[in-house]
Amino acid sequence: MDERTRAEVERAEAALVEHYPRLVRLAYLVLPPSMGRHRKVLTAHGLVQRALPWRVPRRPVGALPAQRGSDAGSGYDLVRQRTLELALAYEDRQRPAVLLPTVPFVWGLRLFPRAGGADELALDQALSAVPAAVRAALGLWHLEGLEAEAARAVLARAGVPDPDMALRAAGQLDRRTGAGAGALLNSGEFDPCTVQARPTDLLRRRQRVRATGVLAAVLVVGALAMALPGGRPAGGSALTAAQQALDPGRLLRVPNEQWARTARVDFTAWPARGRQAGDRQLLARALGVWAAPPAGTRIVAAADTSTRPPAAPPRLLYAGLIDNVMVVVFHDGERLVRYAEPQDATPTLHFARVDNADLASAGGLVIGRGNGWQRYLIAPWVAEVGVRDLLAPDAPSHGLHLAPDGVTDRIPTPPVDGAPCGHWPVAEFRSSPRIDDRRSFLMTDLGDLAPVHLTSVPPAAAGGGPGEATGAPALHSWARTACALRSLRGTGVRSVTNWAYARQELPEGGGTATWVCNRADTWRGSGRAMVQFQPPAAGPADPGRIAGRAVGTAACSPFGRHVLADVHWQAKSGKWYLLAAGSGELAKVDVSGGVRAAAQAPVLAVPAARNTTAQVAGRLRDGRSLPAMLP
């Protein structure tokens, strides 16, 4: 390494020391919220401390670090770039050993930043619902003070595939934060250098120490027994639970007709299928990679899904060749695990949460995926599968061929974010009459192993549970909403429901508008809601306008039946109006600010200039207030 490189590294080291709190705060923001605050604090410190290049020339004994000069900023840029790359890699599940900080290490204590107020909590919830690249973009703006072009360049160098999308999403999140994201991100809530300490669970710690001692004793005794002449574990009793989980002979296998004789119709009723279901060598390789992924293994996990090894023998669902890729699928009661073994390539593990699945959400899984296509493995209780385009609600579905092992022909995948949304293919499943539940239901792919169940709630059923989205009114509602599903890709969504909660006659004979709340529920329980204003359209697939969004909310679910939103709308005459509409229990709508008006009804229309700032709120029949959902 030449002197110029040595000087650059020394400047980077000086910058790291000087700006250490700033770098750790940025790493803490970008790391996945699912890690928990204690682990995020330690990991953020560990990543920054490892942000220097690995091969650093040793300074002579007694030498001083290089002094900061006019070009010291380049040293900071180096460590900031490296910090960002390491933090982003955690969300991508790319975790080679270099990404696992060994320091700092804390035993017996839990560390976490000081708790903030309601604004900090709301921002933290909003940040947990967006990808790491969006959090990085927000940090580069508010923590680093970079302009959009500079932030775009940093994101691109860090390997973010679509920096422009990340910046747009960060801007939207910033606008939705009424208190100002910049001030909140610089508060104690997001400061991993000023932390509080509490003890861990003392009783659980004592139990773990005892369990570790017992396990160590068992291993020692087992090793001694095996070392003796003729030593063997008696009847396999010395095998640990982990060893049993890796034995292909212990895999759980459900009888072929079990699904027709049980009241629990979910993944636990799937039989083992596929031509290689009896290939012990393949099954052993799949279990071994799951337990200890070798270097280079690609690991993909849905949001907040654990990638831990099997704790007990899992259930085998499938083993076979899919498009020249050997595929094995397991179910451990909580997760689906798909092992893919391409020819002459490293394997892939794909994890998805499916706890509390039901007849529809356990109706299929993505068994294979390629460039613009996918295949489903369907449940044994699905009698027919068709394909329809959500953007063509009046077109019939087309039947899809099924192989004897339950694998479908290729199905086009929906467009990704940023691509033209000219079609939205979905699979329509029809259940078997043998389970006395003959119904059709729609499933769509949003990038995870488990497809997403699409449902609908008509206005007359306000407050009730969702129904299937296969009728004509539901299909026409989804035609105008489908393209908004792209924003949910890869977020661990279980189901999405459209609820047409209000209809409104527009001023100046503008026709009838529909207000639709689109709610996405995840496997982990959290949800997000989006309100669309849908005026009369030229075509059935013309998208509506987004009038409001909320994350970490019960809005538009059976536990959050009340909703209110507003938009500015222009009549054919050129005149602008402020429109508002709420659900059926709303008795009054009030408008204040730049416009003052009231209506003793769930809907309101008042003349207002396009840029008029107004605050809309409602009053429910029981007297409670209901603020409008913010855009």
Side-chain angles (χ1 to χ4, degrees), residues 16 36 44-45 59 94 140 142 198-199 306 354 376 394 407 468 476 479-480 486 528 566 571 588 592 615:
L16 187 152
H45 284 273
R59 288 192 301 268
Q94 302 166 357
L140 292 175
H142 292 306
R198 295 291 186 273
S306 170
V354 290
Y376 284 122
D394 296 320
V407 177
E468 302 305 340
H476 277 268
R480 303 191 65 180
R486 292 182 294 184
R528 63 178 68 183
D566 62 274
K588 182 181 180 182
S592 59
Q615 290 76 46

Side-chain angles (χ1 to χ4, degrees), residues 160-476:
V160 173
D162 191 347
D164 290 322
M165 183 279 293
L167 291 168
R168 288 196 302 271
Q172 293 172 356
L173 189 149
D174 195 21
R175 289 190 292 273
R176 295 199 303 271
T177 307
L184 297 178
L185 288 176
N186 282 282
S187 67
E189 173 83 11
F190 300 96
D191 181 8
C193 289
T194 304
V195 297
Q196 301 181 79
R198 295 291 186 273
T200 56
D201 189 323
L202 301 179
L203 292 178
R204 183 176 300 176
R205 188 198 308 173
R206 184 181 302 171
Q207 292 167 356
R208 287 176 177 172
V209 170
R210 289 175 178 172
T212 301
V214 171
L215 178 59
V218 169
L219 291 177
V220 169
V221 171
L224 291 174
M226 292 299 293
L228 293 175
R232 296 182 59 186
S237 60
L239 289 176
T240 66
Q243 289 172 322
Q244 294 177 15
L246 301 183
D247 183 358
R250 294 176 178 268
L251 287 170
L252 304 181
R253 296 172 185 260
V254 176
N256 287 337
E257 298 298 312
Q258 179 69 24
W259 62 270
R261 300 191 298 268
T262 179
R264 182 175 178 178
V265 186
D266 59 12
F267 287 108
T268 62
W270 278 40
R273 290 175 287 176
R275 291 188 177 183
Q276 275 68 44
D279 187 339
R280 292 177 62 92
Q281 291 184 345
L282 170 64
L283 300 178
R285 289 199 303 274
L287 290 168
V289 171
W290 178 6
T297 302
R298 182 169 178 260
I299 299 178
V300 182
D304 285 347
T305 301
S306 170
T307 60
R308 67 179 183 274
R315 182 175 288 101
L316 176 64
L317 302 188
Y318 185 87
L321 191 65
I322 304 291
D323 296 291
N324 296 320
V325 176
M326 202 62 75
V327 175
V328 182
V329 180
F330 302 109
H331 175 241
D332 70 351
E334 177 186 339
R335 300 168 295 168
L336 291 176
V337 182
R338 177 182 178 270
Y339 167 81
E341 185 181 88
Q343 296 179 351
D344 302 323
T346 55
T348 297
L349 286 172
H350 200 151
F351 297 84
R353 276 185 68 170
V354 290
D355 44 325
N356 296 318
D358 55 19
L359 180 147
S361 55
L365 59 87
V366 178
I367 193 70
R369 194 191 302 276
N371 186 16
W373 60 267
Q374 64 179 20
R375 294 183 192 270
Y376 284 122
L377 174 64
I378 66 167
W381 57 81
V382 173
E384 301 174 24
V385 180
V387 180
R388 66 163 61 247
D389 185 357
L390 276 188
L391 301 189
D394 296 320
S397 64
H398 300 283
L400 192 66
H401 175 262
L402 288 175
D405 60 1
V407 177
T408 69
D409 279 350
R410 291 183 176 184
I411 303 174
T413 54
V416 298
D417 194 17
C421 189
H423 64 95
W424 195 282
V426 295
E428 183 171 357
F429 294 175
R430 182 180 295 276
S431 58
S432 168
R434 295 180 61 188
I435 56 175
D436 295 327
D437 192 5
R438 298 192 65 174
R439 58 167 157 161
S440 295
F441 50 94
L442 299 185
M443 307 295 288
T444 191
D445 172 41
L446 291 181
D448 288 326
L449 188 57
V452 177
H453 184 199
L454 301 183
T455 59
S456 179
V457 179
E468 302 305 340
T470 51
L475 290 172
H476 277 268

